[in-house]
Amino acid sequence: MQATLVMFVISLIGFSIQDNLGDPLRELVGQSVSEKERDALRDRMGLNDPFLVQYGRFLSNAVQGDLGNSYFFKKPALEVIARKFPATLELVIGATFIIIFSSVPLGIYSAIKPNSWLTRFILGISIVGISVPVFLTAIFSIYIFSVELGWMPSFGRGETTAPFGWDSGFFNGDGLLHLILPSLSLASIMMPLFIRLIRSEMMEILQMDYIRFAWAKGLYPKRIWFLHAFKNTLLPVITVGGVQVGTMLAYTILTESVFQWPGMGFLFLEAVNRVDTPLIIAYIIVVGLIFVVTNTVVDLLYTWVNPTVKLVGQKS
Amino acid sequence: MGKPHSEVSGAKIMTRIKSFLNSDFVYRFRKDKVAVVSLGIVLVLVLSAVLAPLISPFDPYDLKSIDIMDSEIPPVWDENDGDERFLLGTDPQGRDMLSTILYGMRISLMIGFFAVLLQGILGVTIGLLSGYLGGKIDAFFMRLADIQLSFSTLMVAIITLAIFQAAFGAELYSKLAIFMLILVIGIAEWPQYARTVRASVLAEKHKEYVDAARVIGMSPARIMFRHIFPNTLSPILVISTIQVANAIISEAALSFLGLGMPVNQPSLGSLISSGFEYIFSGSWWITVIPSFFLVLLILSINLLGDWLRDALNPKLYKD
């Protein structure tokens, strides 16, 4: 219900942008057409229809996947975005891998050994990580690893292959090498958050009665930490993770613009500079859709992991 | 947090300052070196930003004092090319880096401060209303907050500013940029405050002093703002520090994308952005020095916020 409402609002926003930003007629016919002919054209294109009629038309087109043609690419806007989507997706997947495989072990370690020097070091680094904006991490990783050391490529996706019908950088060395720095920078902003979250949740859970009971029962420490305690740590991590997917999407715009990564965010910035209205609207709607879908999935996942939570409207 | 006193005489202020200095809070603060150092750094940076017109060696907005022949001079400690007029070197337009950074920090801090003020006013009012009045108002605002929190602030800000830039044109937009940034960052984050305040209002609402105030016939507005509000101040203080840091980061990110402050009136973010293309040609200081100040500022605010959260959280009273 909430999801539909949000999508409805987003479509309204998209429509009002289309209505107010630029004149589609001028894009079509240029300046050399007389005022009378313009009016006739306007009538024919339905630009003089009442607001609701126009909105209805916009909506029915949008539902069928038609968001207009990009002015610059002269192709359907959705198609242009769909072609760039894999690049952004790969960036996000790469970053997610890095985040999961570093923040889970580090978070658990700093929770079970709260007083060791390594924990202090991890926490110290993590607050520095929070304080460095993602575009700075990106710039400095380029400066150090590409300009000074020359180990890594500094921009673009490198070679891509298309084994499943879309361009992917996952399946050859050059593409993977190009992926490292961008996904590291993208991961750097989220990692500290997750380390701290996992740590604080886990420390709280380690104080609980059932854990003490498990100790008393004489279970192996490993079993207690990784099975009993960690399972319950996951609950809040999933919720936060879902919200962060959206945030990560925003940060892809920054990372992509520094690394000239040919993804959706980079495309969006170009579209803004060219005032390519259909493309801007298409991007907003696609992003809105991603947000709504991830939030819904997280809600469902949450009820699945934690059976005590009931969805609104669900019978108990 | 004490209740506000309307008439406080000079002597009273002195005793209050004294009791504040002797309090637990200050004692624990003095013991924590990290907190003391970060407070010091924040104070120095804020002061020098506020006093930028007085202490900076050049006026970066004054076109007369800029000479294009002075462009891209490295900092003083570079023995070959350094120029002692320019302590931190100059940027591609020949502006003194130190002055531009001071002025830029002024803009960054200003945006951060006013955006958080706006967040605070919106969030606290909504939080008090929905916590105290409850019912439909509460349900409506909290649903709204849920929806807004599910979208990331940065995303919303980028899209909104991009649309405004496209609609206004770059010329007009660059004049309005500072207000737009404050408005967008300010409006985007009110749920943080609203939720925190609402939670503490719910905890305070049924205490005896609130009941007493209601029984003697005070208006709900007075109860909310004069009686409950002062008791929600400590969580507000904690999120405010973190929010200022976040607002400055958001502003820097937006300016970096070219959606924030224009180049002729740069914030720290737009300084970094304009220096970015020169980093490949070896003029590292144009990017690195403003970045250093930005990170230093945010890091110190964050450390301070962390300490404040631990200090004001009664759960963590240990030694």
Side-chain angles (χ1 to χ4, degrees):
Chain A
M1 217 290 283
Q2 199 172 327
T4 346
L5 195 74
V6 171
M7 276 324 285
F8 174 69
V9 172
I10 291 174
S11 77
L12 257 184
I13 294 172
F15 176 68
S16 55
I17 296 168
Q18 189 190 36
D19 223 20
N20 295 321
L21 207 68
D23 184 358
L25 213 60
R26 201 169 59 214
E27 306 287 343
L28 275 174
V29 296
Q31 303 277 12
S32 61
V33 182
S34 79
E35 201 55 39
K36 211 168 181 187
E37 283 172 85
R38 275 176 196 235
D39 275 345
L41 253 174
R42 240 189 216 127
D43 255 355
R44 199 141 37 103
M45 288 170 64
L47 289 174
N48 289 335
D49 288 351
F51 176 80
L52 273 179
V53 175
Q54 286 199 42
Y55 176 65
R57 200 180 305 135
F58 172 81
L59 207 61
S60 78
N61 283 341
V63 169
Q64 290 164 25
D66 176 12
L67 292 169
N69 282 359
S70 155
Y71 297 149
F72 181 78
F73 292 96
K74 311 281 183 214
K75 275 187 214 150
L78 265 187
E79 194 189 306
V80 176
I81 288 196
R83 270 233 315 278
K84 302 280 185 182
F85 182 69
T88 302
L89 188 67
E90 280 177 10
L91 192 60
V92 171
I93 291 176
T96 313
F97 262 105
I98 298 176
I99 292 171
I100 291 175
F101 286 110
S102 57
S103 66
V104 168
L106 291 179
I108 294 181
Y109 178 84
S110 55
I112 52 189
K113 294 215 162 54
N115 290 323
S116 90
W117 63 268
L118 190 58
T119 302
R120 273 160 216 256
F121 181 72
I122 293 171
L123 291 181
I125 290 289
S126 79
I127 193 154
V128 175
I130 288 179
S131 307
V132 181
V134 68
F135 59 92
L136 277 185
T137 324
I139 290 176
F140 286 116
S141 61
I142 289 184
Y143 184 65
I144 294 169
F145 293 107
S146 311
V147 180
E148 290 293 314
L149 296 172
W151 291 350
M152 299 277 176
S154 64
F155 65 91
R157 283 181 83 189
E159 262 178 67
T160 53
T161 48
F164 304 112
W166 67 83
D167 288 337
S168 168
F170 276 159
F171 302 101
N172 64 43
D174 193 46
L176 278 178
L177 199 64
H178 277 80
L179 197 62
I180 294 177
L181 284 187
S183 40
L184 257 181
S185 342
L186 188 56
S188 72
I189 198 79
M190 301 278 162
M191 231 148 56
L193 187 84
F194 279 98
I195 293 178
R196 294 170 136 228
L197 182 72
I198 292 175
R199 177 183 126 93
S200 63
E201 285 301 325
M202 187 121 173
M203 281 176 79
E204 211 162 285
I205 281 166
L206 286 176
Q207 306 283 322
M208 284 165 100
D209 284 345
Y210 81 94
I211 296 288
R212 260 188 239 157
F213 187 68
W215 285 116
K217 241 167 95 182
L219 294 181
Y220 289 113
K222 271 186 192 150
R223 205 178 150 76
I224 295 177
W225 288 330
F226 297 115
L227 197 74
H228 296 270
F230 184 63
K231 222 156 84 183
N232 280 321
T233 314
L234 278 179
L235 284 175
V237 175
I238 288 176
T239 343
V240 175
V243 177
Q244 295 305 323
V245 169
T247 317
M248 203 134 100
L249 218 56
Y251 285 119
T252 57
I253 301 183
L254 285 164
T255 333
E256 284 176 8
S257 87
V258 175
F259 286 99
Q260 312 269 298
W261 187 262
M264 291 200 307
F266 195 47
L267 182 76
F268 174 68
L269 283 182
E270 284 179 329
V272 168
N273 285 335
R274 295 177 187 136
V275 200
D276 195 341
T277 322
L279 207 53
I280 297 179
I281 296 169
Y283 181 76
I284 294 174
I285 289 183
V286 167
V287 164
L289 204 63
I290 296 176
F291 270 92
V292 169
V293 168
T294 46
N295 276 311
T296 317
V297 169
V298 166
D299 277 356
L300 293 177
L301 213 63
Y302 199 69
T303 44
W304 179 65
V305 182
N306 184 0
T308 55
V309 176
K310 285 275 180 287
L311 285 176
V312 185
Q314 191 181 347
K315 289 208 175 89
S316 49
Chain B
M1 295 293 145
K3 284 198 186 142
H5 291 252
S6 37
E7 74 282 339
V8 185
S9 60
K12 234 175 176 178
I13 291 177
M14 282 311 290
T15 48
R16 285 183 85 183
I17 291 177
K18 236 182 203 162
S19 74
F20 176 72
L21 284 180
N22 287 329
S23 67
D24 245 20
F25 187 71
V26 174
Y27 172 73
R28 274 210 311 268
F29 177 74
R30 284 217 198 116
K31 256 179 62 179
D32 193 327
K33 284 200 187 73
V34 177
V36 174
V37 171
S38 34
L39 182 69
I41 293 174
V42 171
L43 282 182
V44 168
L45 289 180
V46 170
L47 259 181
S48 51
V50 169
L51 298 176
L54 296 177
I55 58 172
S56 70
F58 294 89
D59 180 1
Y61 299 157
D62 182 13
L63 292 173
K64 273 179 288 181
S65 70
I66 301 170
D67 188 350
I68 196 74
M69 296 304 285
D70 290 334
S71 65
E72 290 189 59
I73 296 176
V76 172
W77 57 87
D78 186 314
E79 282 153 18
N80 302 321
D81 303 311
D83 187 327
E84 57 190 27
R85 280 182 302 155
F86 306 111
L87 188 63
L88 297 176
T90 58
D91 73 354
Q93 294 167 337
R95 292 183 294 200
D96 175 42
M97 285 304 287
L98 179 63
S99 318
T100 355
I101 287 172
L102 286 178
Y103 274 86
M105 202 149 63
R106 200 170 138 97
I107 290 177
S108 291
L109 277 169
M110 200 161 85
I111 292 174
F113 179 76
F114 282 107
V116 170
L117 194 69
L118 186 61
Q119 288 170 17
I121 293 171
L122 274 177
V124 167
T125 317
I126 292 175
L128 281 174
L129 282 177
S130 56
Y132 188 73
L133 300 176
K136 282 209 174 108
I137 297 176
D138 185 28
F140 171 73
F141 279 125
M142 285 306 115
R143 199 24 75 83
L144 200 64
D146 277 349
I147 293 177
Q148 207 172 345
L149 278 182
S150 71
F151 287 87
S152 96
T153 313
L154 194 61
M155 198 77 211
V156 174
I158 288 175
I159 288 178
T160 326
L161 291 178
I163 290 165
F164 273 109
Q165 200 180 35
F168 289 169
E171 190 69 27
L172 180 61
Y173 181 80
S174 68
K175 281 184 197 140
L176 295 174
I178 195 162
F179 299 106
M180 293 302 301
L181 284 168
I182 292 175
L183 264 181
V184 166
I185 302 175
I187 292 175
E189 292 257 318
W190 66 264
Q192 304 277 0
Y193 279 91
R195 287 189 157 186
T196 321
V197 172
R198 177 175 173 271
S200 16
V201 171
L202 290 183
E204 294 291 324
K205 199 169 140 183
H206 298 293
K207 291 198 176 156
E208 280 168 354
Y209 72 91
V210 178
D211 285 339
R214 206 171 336 177
V215 165
I216 61 171
M218 280 183 180
S219 71
R222 196 181 161 86
I223 298 177
M224 275 188 269
F225 287 99
R226 291 297 298 272
H227 295 258
I228 298 181
F229 175 60
N231 289 303
T232 61
L233 274 177
S234 56
I236 291 178
L237 201 63
V238 173
I239 46 176
S240 293
T241 43
I242 307 218
Q243 288 296 73
V244 169
N246 283 343
I248 292 175
I249 291 189
S250 304
E251 186 280 325
L254 291 165
S255 296
F256 180 76
L257 290 176
L259 298 170
M261 297 307 292
V263 189
N264 58 356
Q265 206 183 342
S267 67
L268 287 178
S270 26
L271 275 178
I272 296 167
S273 163
S274 64
F276 173 45
E277 43 194 298
Y278 294 92
I279 202 170
F280 297 106
S281 61
S283 304
W284 54 269
W285 62 92
I286 304 171
T287 312
V288 173
I289 299 177
S291 316
F292 172 75
F293 277 96
L294 181 66
V295 173
L296 190 69
L297 180 65
I298 296 168
L299 183 63
S300 328
I301 297 178
N302 271 338
L303 284 171
L304 210 57
D306 254 25
W307 176 82
L308 211 58
R309 188 184 53 207
D310 292 349
L312 293 177
N313 187 351
K315 260 198 223 158
L316 292 173
Y317 282 138
K318 274 178 213 143
D319 39 11

